[in-house]
Coordinates of all heavy atoms in Angstrom, one line a residue:
E409 N -17.7 4.1 17.4 CA -18.5 5.2 17.1 C -18.1 5.9 15.8 O -19.0 6.5 15.1 CB -18.5 6.3 18.3 CG -19.2 5.8 19.5 CD -19.4 6.9 20.6 OE1 -18.7 7.9 20.4 OE2 -20.1 6.7 21.5
A410 N -16.8 5.9 15.5 CA -16.3 6.4 14.3 C -14.9 5.8 14.0 O -14.2 5.5 15.0 CB -16.2 7.9 14.4
G411 N -14.6 5.7 12.8 CA -13.2 5.2 12.4 C -13.2 4.2 11.4 O -14.0 4.3 10.4
L412 N -12.4 3.2 11.6 CA -12.2 2.1 10.6 C -12.0 0.8 11.2 O -11.3 0.7 12.3 CB -11.0 2.5 9.7 CG -10.6 1.5 8.6 CD1 -11.6 1.4 7.5 CD2 -9.2 1.8 8.1
A413 N -12.7 -0.2 10.7 CA -12.5 -1.6 11.2 C -11.9 -2.4 10.0 O -12.3 -2.3 8.9 CB -13.8 -2.2 11.6
V414 N -10.8 -3.2 10.4 CA -10.1 -4.0 9.4 C -10.0 -5.4 9.9 O -9.6 -5.7 11.0 CB -8.7 -3.4 9.1 CG1 -7.9 -4.3 8.1 CG2 -8.8 -1.9 8.7
A415 N -10.4 -6.4 9.0 CA -10.2 -7.8 9.3 C -9.2 -8.3 8.2 O -9.4 -8.0 7.0 CB -11.5 -8.5 9.2
V416 N -8.2 -9.1 8.7 CA -7.2 -9.7 7.8 C -7.2 -11.2 7.9 O -7.1 -11.7 9.1 CB -5.8 -9.1 8.1 CG1 -4.8 -9.7 7.1 CG2 -5.8 -7.6 8.1
D417 N -7.4 -11.9 6.8 CA -7.5 -13.4 6.9 C -7.3 -14.0 5.6 O -7.5 -13.3 4.5 CB -8.8 -13.8 7.5 CG -8.7 -14.4 8.9 OD1 -7.9 -15.3 9.1 OD2 -9.4 -13.9 9.9
Y418 N -7.0 -15.3 5.6 CA -7.1 -16.0 4.3 C -8.6 -16.1 4.1 O -9.4 -16.4 5.0 CB -6.6 -17.4 4.5 CG -5.1 -17.5 4.3 CD1 -4.3 -18.0 5.3 CD2 -4.5 -17.1 3.2 CE1 -2.9 -18.1 5.2 CE2 -3.1 -17.1 3.0 CZ -2.3 -17.6 4.0 OH -0.9 -17.7 3.8
A419 N -9.1 -15.9 2.8 CA -10.5 -15.7 2.6 C -10.8 -16.3 1.2 O -10.0 -16.5 0.4 CB -10.9 -14.2 2.7
H420 N -12.1 -16.4 1.0 CA -12.7 -16.7 -0.4 C -13.9 -15.9 -0.5 O -14.5 -15.4 0.4 CB -12.9 -18.2 -0.5 CG -13.5 -18.9 0.7 ND1 -14.8 -18.6 1.1 CD2 -13.0 -19.8 1.5 CE1 -15.1 -19.4 2.1 NE2 -14.0 -20.1 2.4
R421 N -14.4 -15.8 -1.8 CA -15.6 -15.0 -2.1 C -16.6 -15.9 -2.9 O -16.2 -17.0 -3.4 CB -15.2 -13.8 -3.0 CG -14.1 -13.0 -2.4 CD -13.9 -11.7 -3.1 NE -12.6 -11.0 -2.8 CZ -12.3 -9.8 -3.2 NH1 -13.2 -9.1 -3.9 NH2 -11.2 -9.2 -2.8
A422 N -17.8 -15.4 -2.9 CA -18.9 -16.1 -3.7 C -18.4 -16.3 -5.1 O -17.8 -15.4 -5.7 CB -20.1 -15.3 -3.6
G423 N -18.7 -17.5 -5.6 CA -18.2 -17.8 -6.9 C -16.9 -18.5 -7.0 O -16.5 -19.1 -8.0
D424 N -16.2 -18.4 -5.8 CA -14.9 -19.0 -5.8 C -14.7 -19.8 -4.5 O -13.6 -19.9 -3.9 CB -13.8 -18.0 -5.9 CG -12.4 -18.5 -6.1 OD1 -12.3 -19.6 -6.7 OD2 -11.4 -17.9 -5.6
R425 N -15.8 -20.4 -3.9 CA -15.8 -21.2 -2.7 C -15.1 -22.5 -3.0 O -15.4 -23.1 -4.0 CB -17.1 -21.4 -2.1 CG -18.0 -20.1 -1.9 CD -17.5 -19.3 -0.8 NE -18.5 -18.3 -0.5 CZ -18.3 -17.0 -0.1 NH1 -17.0 -16.7 0.1 NH2 -19.2 -16.1 0.1
P426 N -14.3 -23.0 -2.1 CA -13.7 -24.3 -2.3 C -14.8 -25.4 -2.1 O -15.5 -25.4 -1.2 CB -12.6 -24.4 -1.2 CG -13.0 -23.4 -0.2 CD -13.7 -22.3 -0.9
P427 N -14.9 -26.4 -3.0 CA -16.0 -27.3 -3.0 C -16.0 -28.3 -1.8 O -17.0 -28.8 -1.5 CB -15.8 -28.1 -4.3 CG -14.4 -27.9 -4.7 CD -14.0 -26.6 -4.2
F428 N -14.9 -28.4 -1.2 CA -14.8 -29.4 0.0 C -14.4 -28.6 1.3 O -13.9 -29.3 2.2 CB -13.8 -30.5 -0.3 CG -14.3 -31.3 -1.6 CD1 -13.5 -31.2 -2.7 CD2 -15.4 -32.1 -1.5 CE1 -13.9 -31.9 -3.9 CE2 -15.8 -32.8 -2.7 CZ -15.1 -32.6 -3.8
G429 N -14.5 -27.3 1.3 CA -14.2 -26.6 2.5 C -12.7 -26.4 2.7 O -11.9 -26.8 1.9
T430 N -12.4 -25.8 3.8 CA -11.0 -25.4 4.1 C -10.6 -25.8 5.5 O -9.5 -25.5 6.0 CB -10.7 -23.9 3.9 OG1 -11.5 -23.2 4.8 CG2 -11.0 -23.5 2.5
L431 N -11.4 -26.5 6.3 CA -11.1 -26.8 7.7 C -9.8 -27.6 7.8 O -9.6 -28.6 7.1 CB -12.3 -27.6 8.3 CG -12.1 -27.9 9.8 CD1 -12.5 -26.7 10.6 CD2 -13.1 -29.1 10.1
T432 N -8.9 -27.1 8.6 CA -7.6 -27.8 8.8 C -7.1 -27.5 10.2 O -7.6 -26.7 11.0 CB -6.6 -27.4 7.7 OG1 -5.5 -28.2 7.7 CG2 -6.2 -25.9 7.9
G433 N -5.9 -28.1 10.5 CA -5.2 -27.9 11.7 C -3.8 -27.4 11.5 O -3.2 -27.6 10.4
F434 N -3.2 -26.8 12.5 CA -1.8 -26.4 12.5 C -1.2 -26.7 13.9 O -1.8 -26.4 14.9 CB -1.6 -24.9 12.2 CG -1.8 -24.6 10.7 CD1 -3.1 -24.2 10.2 CD2 -0.8 -24.7 9.8 CE1 -3.2 -23.9 8.9 CE2 -0.9 -24.4 8.5 CZ -2.2 -24.1 8.0
S435 N 0.0 -27.2 13.8 CA 0.7 -27.4 15.1 C 2.2 -27.5 14.8 O 2.6 -28.1 13.8 CB 0.3 -28.7 15.7 OG 1.0 -29.0 16.9
G436 N 3.0 -26.9 15.6 CA 4.5 -27.0 15.4 C 5.0 -26.5 14.1 O 6.0 -27.0 13.5
G437 N 4.3 -25.5 13.5 CA 4.7 -24.9 12.2 C 4.3 -25.7 11.0 O 4.8 -25.4 9.9
R438 N 3.4 -26.7 11.1 CA 3.0 -27.4 9.9 C 1.5 -27.7 10.0 O 0.9 -27.7 11.0 CB 3.8 -28.7 9.8 CG 3.6 -29.7 10.9 CD 4.5 -30.9 10.8 NE 4.3 -31.8 11.9 CZ 3.5 -32.8 11.9 NH1 2.8 -33.1 10.8 NH2 3.4 -33.7 12.9
E439 N 1.0 -27.9 8.8 CA -0.4 -28.3 8.7 C -0.7 -29.7 9.1 O 0.1 -30.6 8.7 CB -0.9 -28.0 7.2 CG -2.4 -28.2 7.1 CD -2.9 -27.7 5.7 OE1 -2.1 -27.4 4.8 OE2 -4.1 -27.7 5.5
V440 N -1.7 -29.9 9.9 CA -2.0 -31.3 10.4 C -3.5 -31.5 10.3 O -4.3 -30.6 10.0 CB -1.6 -31.4 11.9 CG1 -0.1 -31.2 12.1 CG2 -2.4 -30.4 12.8
R441 N -3.9 -32.8 10.5 CA -5.3 -33.1 10.5 C -6.0 -32.4 11.6 O -5.5 -32.4 12.7 CB -5.4 -34.6 10.6 CG -6.8 -35.2 10.7 CD -6.8 -36.7 10.7 NE -8.1 -37.3 11.0 CZ -8.4 -37.9 12.1 NH1 -7.4 -38.0 13.1 NH2 -9.6 -38.5 12.3
P442 N -7.2 -31.8 11.4 CA -7.9 -31.1 12.4 C -8.5 -32.1 13.4 O -9.4 -32.8 13.1 CB -8.9 -30.3 11.7 CG -9.2 -31.1 10.4 CD -7.9 -31.7 10.1
V443 N -7.9 -32.1 14.6 CA -8.4 -33.0 15.7 C -8.7 -32.1 16.9 O -7.9 -31.4 17.4 CB -7.3 -34.0 16.1 CG1 -7.8 -34.9 17.2 CG2 -6.9 -34.9 14.9
P444 N -10.0 -32.1 17.3 CA -10.4 -31.1 18.3 C -10.1 -31.6 19.7 O -11.1 -31.7 20.6 CB -11.9 -31.0 18.0 CG -12.3 -32.3 17.5 CD -11.1 -32.8 16.7
D445 N -8.9 -31.9 20.0 CA -8.5 -32.3 21.4 C -7.6 -31.3 22.1 O -7.1 -31.6 23.2 CB -7.8 -33.7 21.3 CG -6.5 -33.6 20.5 OD1 -6.1 -32.5 20.0 OD2 -5.8 -34.6 20.4
G446 N -7.5 -30.1 21.6 CA -6.7 -29.1 22.2 C -5.2 -29.1 21.8 O -4.4 -28.2 22.2
G447 N -4.8 -30.1 21.0 CA -3.4 -30.2 20.6 C -3.0 -29.4 19.4 O -1.8 -29.4 19.1
C448 N -3.9 -28.9 18.7 CA -3.6 -28.1 17.5 C -4.6 -26.9 17.3 O -5.7 -26.9 17.9 CB -3.6 -29.0 16.2 SG -5.3 -29.6 15.7
D449 N -4.1 -26.0 16.5 CA -5.0 -24.9 16.0 C -6.0 -25.5 15.1 O -5.7 -26.4 14.3 CB -4.2 -23.8 15.4 CG -5.1 -22.6 15.0 OD1 -6.1 -22.4 15.6 OD2 -4.7 -21.9 14.0
I450 N -7.3 -25.1 15.1 CA -8.3 -25.5 14.2 C -8.8 -24.2 13.5 O -9.2 -23.3 14.1 CB -9.4 -26.2 14.9 CG1 -8.9 -27.5 15.5 CG2 -10.6 -26.5 13.8 CD1 -10.0 -28.2 16.3
T451 N -8.7 -24.2 12.2 CA -8.9 -23.0 11.4 C -9.6 -23.3 10.1 O -9.6 -24.4 9.6 CB -7.6 -22.2 11.1 OG1 -7.9 -21.1 10.4 CG2 -6.6 -23.1 10.4
A452 N -10.3 -22.3 9.6 CA -10.9 -22.4 8.2 C -10.9 -21.0 7.6 O -11.1 -20.0 8.3 CB -12.3 -23.0 8.3
H453 N -10.7 -20.9 6.3 CA -10.7 -19.7 5.6 C -12.1 -19.0 5.8 O -13.1 -19.6 6.1 CB -10.4 -19.9 4.2 CG -9.0 -20.3 3.9 ND1 -8.5 -20.4 2.6 CD2 -8.0 -20.8 4.7 CE1 -7.3 -20.8 2.7 NE2 -7.0 -21.1 3.9
V454 N -12.1 -17.7 5.6 CA -13.2 -16.8 6.0 C -14.0 -16.3 4.7 O -13.3 -15.9 3.8 CB -12.8 -15.7 6.9 CG1 -14.0 -14.8 7.3 CG2 -12.0 -16.1 8.1
A455 N -15.3 -16.4 4.7 CA -16.1 -15.8 3.7 C -16.2 -14.3 4.0 O -17.3 -13.8 4.5 CB -17.4 -16.5 3.6
L456 N -15.2 -13.5 3.8 CA -15.1 -12.1 4.2 C -16.2 -11.3 3.5 O -16.6 -10.3 4.0 CB -13.8 -11.5 4.0 CG -12.7 -11.8 5.1 CD1 -11.4 -11.1 4.7 CD2 -13.2 -11.3 6.4
D457 N -16.6 -11.7 2.3 CA -17.6 -11.0 1.6 C -18.9 -11.0 2.3 O -19.8 -10.1 2.2 CB -17.8 -11.4 0.1 CG -17.9 -12.9 0.0 OD1 -17.6 -13.7 0.9 OD2 -18.4 -13.4 -1.1
A458 N -19.2 -12.1 3.0 CA -20.4 -12.3 3.8 C -20.3 -11.4 5.1 O -21.3 -10.9 5.6 CB -20.6 -13.7 4.3
C459 N -19.1 -11.2 5.6 CA -18.9 -10.3 6.8 C -19.1 -8.8 6.5 O -19.5 -8.0 7.3 CB -17.6 -10.5 7.4 SG -17.2 -12.2 8.0
A460 N -18.8 -8.5 5.2 CA -18.6 -7.0 4.9 C -20.0 -6.3 5.0 O -21.0 -6.8 4.6 CB -18.1 -6.9 3.4
G461 N -19.9 -5.1 5.6 CA -21.1 -4.3 5.7 C -21.1 -3.2 4.6 O -20.2 -3.2 3.7
P462 N -22.0 -2.3 4.7 CA -22.1 -1.2 3.7 C -20.8 -0.4 3.6 O -20.2 0.0 4.6 CB -23.3 -0.3 4.2 CG -24.1 -1.2 5.1 CD -23.1 -2.2 5.7
G463 N -20.4 -0.2 2.3 CA -19.2 0.6 2.1 C -17.9 -0.1 2.3 O -16.8 0.5 2.1
A464 N -17.9 -1.4 2.5 CA -16.7 -2.1 2.8 C -15.9 -2.4 1.5 O -16.5 -2.4 0.4 CB -17.0 -3.5 3.4
E465 N -14.6 -2.6 1.6 CA -13.8 -2.9 0.5 C -12.9 -4.1 0.8 O -12.4 -4.2 1.9 CB -12.9 -1.7 0.2 CG -11.9 -1.9 -1.0 CD -10.9 -0.7 -1.2 OE1 -10.7 0.1 -0.2 OE2 -10.4 -0.6 -2.3
L466 N -12.8 -5.0 -0.2 CA -11.9 -6.1 0.0 C -10.7 -6.0 -0.9 O -10.9 -5.9 -2.2 CB -12.7 -7.4 -0.3 CG -13.8 -7.8 0.6 CD1 -14.6 -9.0 0.0 CD2 -13.3 -8.2 2.0
V467 N -9.5 -6.1 -0.4 CA -8.3 -6.0 -1.2 C -7.3 -7.0 -0.7 O -7.4 -7.5 0.4 CB -7.7 -4.6 -1.2 CG1 -8.6 -3.5 -1.7 CG2 -7.2 -4.2 0.2
S468 N -6.3 -7.4 -1.6 CA -5.3 -8.3 -1.1 C -4.3 -7.6 -0.2 O -4.2 -6.4 -0.1 CB -4.5 -8.8 -2.3 OG -3.7 -7.8 -2.9
Q469 N -3.6 -8.4 0.6 CA -2.6 -7.8 1.5 C -1.5 -7.1 0.7 O -1.0 -6.1 1.1 CB -2.0 -8.9 2.4 CG -0.9 -8.4 3.3 CD -0.7 -9.2 4.5 OE1 -1.5 -9.3 5.4 NE2 0.5 -9.8 4.6
R470 N -1.2 -7.6 -0.5 CA -0.2 -6.9 -1.3 C -0.7 -5.5 -1.6 O 0.1 -4.5 -1.5 CB -0.1 -7.7 -2.7 CG 0.7 -9.0 -2.6 CD 0.9 -9.6 -4.0 NE -0.4 -9.9 -4.6 CZ -1.1 -11.1 -4.3 NH1 -0.6 -11.9 -3.4 NH2 -2.3 -11.3 -4.8
E471 N -1.9 -5.3 -2.0 CA -2.4 -4.0 -2.3 C -2.6 -3.1 -1.0 O -2.2 -2.0 -1.0 CB -3.8 -4.1 -3.0 CG -4.5 -2.8 -3.2 CD -3.8 -1.8 -4.1 OE1 -2.8 -2.2 -4.8 OE2 -4.1 -0.6 -4.0
A472 N -3.0 -3.7 0.0 CA -3.2 -3.0 1.3 C -1.9 -2.4 1.8 O -1.8 -1.3 2.2 CB -3.9 -3.8 2.3
L473 N -0.9 -3.3 1.8 CA 0.4 -2.8 2.3 C 1.1 -1.8 1.4 O 1.8 -0.9 1.8 CB 1.3 -4.0 2.6 CG 0.9 -4.9 3.8 CD1 1.9 -6.1 3.9 CD2 0.8 -4.1 5.1
R474 N 0.9 -2.0 0.1 CA 1.4 -1.1 -0.9 C 0.9 0.3 -0.6 O 1.6 1.3 -0.6 CB 1.1 -1.5 -2.3 CG 1.7 -0.6 -3.4 CD 1.1 -0.8 -4.7 NE -0.3 -0.4 -4.8 CZ -0.8 0.8 -4.9 NH1 0.1 1.8 -4.9 NH2 -2.1 1.1 -4.9
R475 N -0.4 0.4 -0.3 CA -1.0 1.7 0.0 C -0.4 2.3 1.3 O -0.4 3.5 1.4 CB -2.5 1.5 0.2 CG -3.3 1.1 -1.0 CD -4.8 1.0 -0.6 NE -5.6 0.4 -1.7 CZ -6.9 0.2 -1.6 NH1 -7.6 0.5 -0.5 NH2 -7.6 -0.3 -2.6
L476 N 0.1 1.5 2.1 CA 0.6 1.9 3.4 C 2.2 2.0 3.4 O 2.8 2.2 4.4 CB 0.2 1.0 4.5 CG -1.3 1.0 4.8 CD1 -1.7 -0.2 5.7 CD2 -1.7 2.3 5.4
G477 N 2.7 2.0 2.2 CA 4.1 2.3 2.0 C 5.1 1.1 2.1 O 6.3 1.3 2.2
V478 N 4.5 -0.1 2.2 CA 5.4 -1.3 2.3 C 5.6 -1.8 0.9 O 4.7 -2.3 0.2 CB 4.7 -2.4 3.2 CG1 5.6 -3.6 3.2 CG2 4.5 -1.8 4.6
S479 N 6.9 -1.8 0.5 CA 7.2 -2.3 -0.9 C 8.4 -3.2 -0.8 O 9.3 -3.1 0.0 CB 7.6 -1.1 -1.8 OG 8.2 -1.5 -3.0
G480 N 8.4 -4.2 -1.7 CA 9.5 -5.2 -1.7 C 10.6 -4.8 -2.7 O 11.4 -5.6 -3.0
A481 N 10.5 -3.5 -3.2 CA 11.5 -3.1 -4.2 C 12.9 -3.0 -3.6 O 13.1 -2.6 -2.4 CB 11.1 -1.7 -4.7
R482 N 13.9 -3.5 -4.3 CA 15.3 -3.4 -3.8 C 15.8 -2.0 -3.8 O 15.4 -1.2 -4.7 CB 16.2 -4.3 -4.7 CG 15.8 -5.8 -4.6 CD 16.6 -6.6 -5.7 NE 18.0 -6.5 -5.5 CZ 18.7 -7.4 -4.7 NH1 18.1 -8.4 -4.1 NH2 20.0 -7.2 -4.6
P483 N 16.7 -1.7 -2.9 CA 17.2 -0.3 -2.9 C 18.2 -0.1 -4.1 O 18.7 -1.1 -4.6 CB 18.0 -0.3 -1.6 CG 18.3 -1.7 -1.3 CD 17.2 -2.5 -1.8
P484 N 18.4 1.1 -4.5 CA 19.3 1.3 -5.7 C 20.7 0.9 -5.3 O 21.2 1.1 -4.2 CB 19.2 2.9 -5.9 CG 18.7 3.4 -4.6 CD 17.8 2.4 -4.0
L485 N 21.4 0.3 -6.3 CA 22.8 -0.1 -6.1 C 23.7 1.0 -5.8 O 24.7 0.8 -5.1 CB 23.3 -0.9 -7.4 CG 22.7 -2.3 -7.6 CD1 23.2 -2.8 -8.9 CD2 23.2 -3.2 -6.4
A486 N 23.4 2.2 -6.2 CA 24.2 3.4 -5.9 C 24.4 3.6 -4.4 O 25.4 4.1 -3.9 CB 23.7 4.6 -6.6
L487 N 23.3 3.2 -3.7 CA 23.4 3.4 -2.2 C 24.4 2.5 -1.6 O 25.0 2.8 -0.6 CB 22.0 3.1 -1.6 CG 21.8 3.3 -0.1 CD1 22.0 4.8 0.2 CD2 20.4 2.8 0.3
A488 N 24.7 1.4 -2.2 CA 25.7 0.5 -1.7 C 27.1 1.1 -1.7 O 27.9 0.8 -0.8 CB 25.8 -0.8 -2.5
S489 N 27.4 2.0 -2.6 CA 28.6 2.7 -2.6 C 28.6 3.9 -1.7 O 29.6 4.2 -1.0 CB 29.0 3.2 -4.1 OG 29.0 2.1 -4.9
S490 N 27.5 4.7 -1.7 CA 27.5 5.9 -0.9 C 27.3 5.7 0.6 O 27.8 6.4 1.4 CB 26.4 6.9 -1.5 OG 25.1 6.2 -1.3
D491 N 26.5 4.6 0.9 CA 26.2 4.4 2.3 C 26.0 2.9 2.5 O 24.8 2.4 2.5 CB 25.0 5.2 2.8 CG 24.8 5.1 4.3 OD1 25.4 4.2 4.9 OD2 24.1 6.0 4.8
P492 N 27.0 2.1 2.6 CA 26.9 0.6 2.6 C 26.0 0.1 3.7 O 25.2 -0.8 3.5 CB 28.3 0.1 2.8 CG 29.2 1.2 2.2 CD 28.5 2.5 2.6
A493 N 26.1 0.7 4.9 CA 25.3 0.3 6.0 C 23.8 0.5 5.8 O 22.9 -0.3 6.0 CB 25.7 1.0 7.3
A494 N 23.5 1.7 5.2 CA 22.1 2.0 4.8 C 21.6 1.0 3.8 O 20.4 0.6 3.8 CB 22.0 3.4 4.4
Y495 N 22.4 0.7 2.8 CA 22.1 -0.3 1.8 C 21.7 -1.6 2.4 O 20.7 -2.2 2.0 CB 23.2 -0.4 0.8 CG 22.9 -1.4 -0.3 CD1 22.0 -1.1 -1.4 CD2 23.4 -2.7 -0.3 CE1 21.7 -2.0 -2.4 CE2 23.1 -3.6 -1.3 CZ 22.3 -3.2 -2.4 OH 22.0 -4.1 -3.3
V496 N 22.5 -2.1 3.3 CA 22.2 -3.4 3.9 C 20.9 -3.4 4.7 O 20.1 -4.3 4.6 CB 23.4 -3.8 4.9 CG1 23.0 -5.0 5.7 CG2 24.6 -4.1 4.1
R497 N 20.6 -2.3 5.4 CA 19.4 -2.1 6.1 C 18.2 -2.1 5.2 O 17.2 -2.7 5.4 CB 19.4 -0.9 7.0 CG 20.3 -0.9 8.2 CD 20.0 0.2 9.2 NE 20.2 1.5 8.6 CZ 21.4 2.2 8.6 NH1 22.5 1.6 9.1 NH2 21.5 3.4 8.0
A498 N 18.3 -1.3 4.1 CA 17.3 -1.2 3.1 C 17.0 -2.6 2.4 O 15.9 -2.9 2.1 CB 17.6 -0.1 2.1
L499 N 18.1 -3.3 2.2 CA 18.0 -4.6 1.5 C 17.2 -5.6 2.4 O 16.3 -6.3 2.0 CB 19.3 -5.2 1.2 CG 19.4 -6.3 0.2 CD1 18.8 -5.9 -1.2 CD2 20.8 -6.8 0.0
A500 N 17.5 -5.5 3.7 CA 16.8 -6.4 4.7 C 15.4 -6.1 4.7 O 14.5 -6.9 4.8 CB 17.5 -6.3 6.0
S501 N 15.1 -4.8 4.8 CA 13.7 -4.3 4.8 C 12.9 -4.7 3.6 O 11.8 -5.2 3.6 CB 13.7 -2.8 4.9 OG 12.3 -2.3 5.0

Side-chain angles (χ1 to χ4, degrees):
E409 289 189 346
L412 178 68
V414 178
V416 183
D417 249 305
Y418 280 123
H420 43 66
R421 308 189 195 190
D424 192 30
R425 307 286 191 217
F428 302 108
T430 61
L431 186 75
T432 191
F434 283 93
S435 180
R438 61 188 180 90
E439 189 170 3
V440 298
R441 177 171 171 255
V443 177
D445 61 358
C448 68
D449 184 26
I450 296 174
T451 179
H453 294 189
V454 183
L456 277 179
D457 52 342
C459 297
E465 181 185 18
L466 294 171
V467 301
S468 70
Q469 177 155 296
R470 286 183 298 278
E471 172 62 17
L473 291 181
R474 184 194 64 78
R475 295 180 188 180
L476 295 168
V478 178
S479 170
R482 295 170 63 90
L485 284 175
L487 184 61
S489 301
S490 61
D491 191 340
Y495 178 78
V496 170
R497 291 193 299 270
L499 195 62
S501 179

